Amino acid sequence: MLPSLSDEFNDGIVGTSWHIQGKDDGQGPYYNNNQGRNSQFIPESISEDGGLLRIRSEWNEDFDFATGYGVPPVTTGALISKDFLKFGYMEIRCRVGKSPMSAAFWAVGNDNRGELDVFEHVGKSWDPQKDNPDDSRTMQMSIHNWSRAINDSLGNRRHWTQKHTLGFDVTDGMHVYAADWTEDYIKFYVDGTLVRTLSKTEADQIKLNGLGAWVIDQKQRIWIDCELFDWEGRVSELKPEMFGPEAVFEVDYVRDWKRGVGGKHQHAGHGPNLVSNGSFATSLDGWKTEGNVSIQDVSKWTFWKDNRPSDDPNAMQIGAGGPGASTQTISVTPNTKYLLTAYLRTPATTGTLEPSNLRGTPLVFHKGWMGVENYGGSRLTRKLYHNWFQSYSIEFTTGANDTSATVFFNNTETNRGGLLQVDGVSVVKLKDLRSDAK
């Protein structure tokens, strides 16, 4: 374990391994920048108590904000590691505060070229016009390229993102999140379970502005912070009472290990795909359809070529000229955790990453869903709003006597028009690596 990048937060002193953002310690503007996104970083928001790092976010109207600060009166905190990591294992045990703030565990290089987000968790949805109530169950993993010298378009800097629906509320208790980062892939874990592997080859197939997405090949500093993302809702809808005593991001520990040159993770990937014809190579075989559902060759369309959700040219298209639905029932094992993943695109949505476009208007969701039901638990769904293929996933655990589950995709959009396109559908059994080690 790397002492300079790890902390149990037991000594009552924050700062041995970390710089507290907004505190001028003579190390330059990178450390002394106190303006977060729609919030201001202040050292007073950071504390260590009872073996926990605590980052408190407050509606702080009496605070003397920095010159030019023109966003909601919210103060919060951020830590940046003093040392760098290049390829290794990053792990955090934490609980997210119950507030609109996004708590994050991430890393970025000094030149800002490559950003790696292990997670961004929003503790509580706040905008009534954003019709997706699952914020506190969503784990967002991302790779960004923020270098203006490489990529001039702000909207093209989010190179890869996965929105993953967890089986729990991130504000209800402590959970362990981790990433194993090598020169060839990164694996994301939740409570010892592998939820996503992104290979360098897969990432570099994603082309935005002509560039591949694997930009995490340089040493990076680790961040632990809270920010307020205006693409999660209109900041005009925020209220002081949303920042109560539970608006605290609590961290039990951060542990990091450096991986040697050529080091690889020894844990195997997931088992076989339980979905039949999840890539829709030639037909809709294996799927029960209703309404307007068809196969569409999308290989010549920019949104497919830039994201490459699969190697074949076809996708399932739902809602061409009216509503449609497609389902498949799969065989499962009782009392077992599974992961449903699919690449989805819907054009009649906001479809932008420019925050300035979202401050005055709500994020527009398309009335299209993916989900799973009839597995022994509540019906789980995921709505979407990107006009390019993006990976989404939902984890679910089967009931004590359930041997089947139904995967579904539907589109009921009538007012805004547009289609729902689906590709790369899979359901795999999840393996808890901690139980394997016993």
Side-chain angles (χ1 to χ4, degrees):
M1 191 160 61
L2 294 169
S4 63
L5 288 169
S6 302
D7 204 327
E8 301 294 318
F9 302 110
N10 288 329
D11 57 11
I13 303 172
V14 180
T16 303
S17 300
W18 310 93
H19 172 83
I20 299 176
Q21 185 77 317
K23 181 178 180 181
D24 188 358
D25 58 4
Q27 297 193 42
Y30 179 83
Y31 283 117
N32 196 34
N33 176 19
N34 57 10
Q35 292 194 29
R37 192 181 300 276
N38 295 304
S39 52
Q40 183 166 327
F41 297 134
I42 61 173
E44 294 80 6
S45 294
I46 303 289
S47 64
E48 190 175 302
D49 181 48
L52 296 176
L53 167 72
R54 295 168 58 85
I55 302 179
R56 177 175 294 279
S57 300
E58 295 182 281
W59 187 272
N60 200 344
E61 292 180 303
D62 296 329
F63 185 79
D64 184 16
F65 286 90
T67 302
Y69 186 90
V71 290
V74 174
T75 55
T76 189
L79 297 183
I80 313 172
S81 68
K82 294 180 179 179
D83 201 0
F84 290 90
L85 178 68
K86 181 179 179 181
F87 307 134
Y89 181 83
M90 311 158 56
E91 180 176 287
I92 188 171
R93 185 173 186 263
C94 62
R95 182 191 69 83
V96 175
K98 293 185 178 182
S99 79
M101 304 301 290
S102 172
F105 180 48
W106 57 291
V108 66
N110 271 0
D111 64 356
N112 287 333
R113 176 172 182 252
E115 175 184 325
L116 167 60
D117 298 333
V118 180
F119 70 73
E120 292 172 313
H121 291 323
V122 177
K124 187 177 182 179
S125 181
W126 75 90
D127 189 340
Q129 294 193 48
K130 183 189 175 189
D131 48 358
N132 183 33
D134 297 324
D135 278 348
S136 62
R137 292 180 176 268
T138 298
M139 174 181 178
Q140 178 165 302
M141 303 155 267
S142 300
I143 293 175
H144 304 272
N145 175 5
W146 297 108
S147 173
R148 291 187 181 276
I150 296 174
N151 200 340
D152 290 334
S153 172
L154 176 63
N156 281 350
R157 290 181 196 157
R158 177 173 294 176
H159 270 36
W160 172 84
T161 293
Q162 168 117 3
K163 288 185 179 292
H164 174 64
T165 301
L166 295 156
F168 55 84
D169 188 314
V170 298
T171 69
D172 283 346
M174 289 281 176
H175 293 274
V176 178
Y177 308 89
D180 182 34
W181 172 34
T182 80
E183 64 267 40
D184 295 323
Y185 60 77
I186 183 163
K187 295 187 176 185
F188 297 90
Y189 296 86
V190 179
D191 290 333
T193 298
L194 176 65
V195 298
R196 183 65 158 93
T197 298
L198 177 72
S199 69
K200 181 180 186 298
T201 300
E202 178 187 358
D204 278 339
Q205 288 181 336
I206 302 170
K207 303 295 183 184
L208 288 172
N209 218 24
L211 300 171
W214 192 261
V215 293
I216 50 170
D217 52 5
Q218 299 178 3
K219 63 181 183 179
Q220 298 188 331
R221 298 184 191 268
I222 296 171
W223 283 62
I224 307 170
D225 74 349
C226 293
E227 296 186 65
L228 183 59
F229 291 148
D230 41 14
W231 53 78
E232 293 291 346
R234 297 170 299 171
V235 296
S236 60
E237 295 291 333
L238 292 167
K239 303 291 190 298
E241 57 267 25
M242 297 176 182
F243 298 83
E246 292 186 295
V248 180
F249 182 23
E250 294 182 332
V251 180
D252 183 21
Y253 64 75
V254 174
R255 297 170 183 168
D256 293 280
W257 288 262
K258 183 175 176 57
R259 185 174 293 284
V261 177
K264 305 296 179 185
H265 203 298
Q266 299 304 308
H267 293 297
H270 298 306
N273 184 4
L274 303 179
V275 171
S276 173
N277 190 24
S279 63
F280 312 101
T282 59
S283 68
L284 290 170
D285 288 350
W287 295 88
K288 180 180 179 181
T289 63
E290 180 179 344
N292 290 275
V293 183
S294 62
I295 288 287
Q296 175 67 50
D297 182 347
V298 295
S299 61
K300 294 182 175 59
W301 299 359
T302 300
F303 67 78
W304 186 88
K305 291 189 292 184
D306 283 353
N307 293 89
R308 296 284 294 190
S310 66
D311 291 330
D312 68 81
N314 291 327
M316 177 169 65
Q317 183 168 277
I318 303 176
S326 181
T327 63
Q328 184 173 141
T329 299
I330 61 173
S331 296
V332 294
T333 303
N335 288 326
T336 303
K337 185 183 290 187
Y338 290 89
L339 181 71
L340 163 64
T341 304
Y343 287 85
L344 308 174
R345 175 199 183 250
T346 177
T349 59
T350 301
T352 179
L353 296 174
E354 294 281 1
S356 60
N357 292 344
L358 302 178
R359 289 180 179 141
T361 58
L363 202 62
V364 178
F365 277 79
H366 188 79
K367 292 183 180 178
W369 291 265
M370 86 168 190
V372 59
E373 59 187 356
N374 304 325
Y375 63 92
S378 59
R379 187 175 191 259
L380 301 175
T381 61
R382 164 59 64 182
K383 296 190 78 172
L384 49 144
Y385 63 89
H386 286 307
N387 62 359
W388 58 85
F389 272 115
Q390 179 169 295
S391 183
Y392 296 82
S393 55
I394 299 174
E395 64 181 67
F396 63 97
T397 301
T398 53
N401 300 305
D402 291 273
T403 58
S404 64
T406 301
V407 175
F408 64 87
F409 300 89
N410 59 35
N411 180 7
T412 62
E413 185 63 55
T414 57
N415 295 326
R416 293 188 288 266
L419 311 170
L420 171 62
Q421 280 135 351
V422 183
D423 207 353
V425 184
S426 69
V427 173
V428 295
K429 183 186 295 186
L430 288 177
K431 180 185 297 185
D432 189 330
L433 301 178
R434 296 169 302 178
S435 63
D436 290 350
K438 295 178 181 178

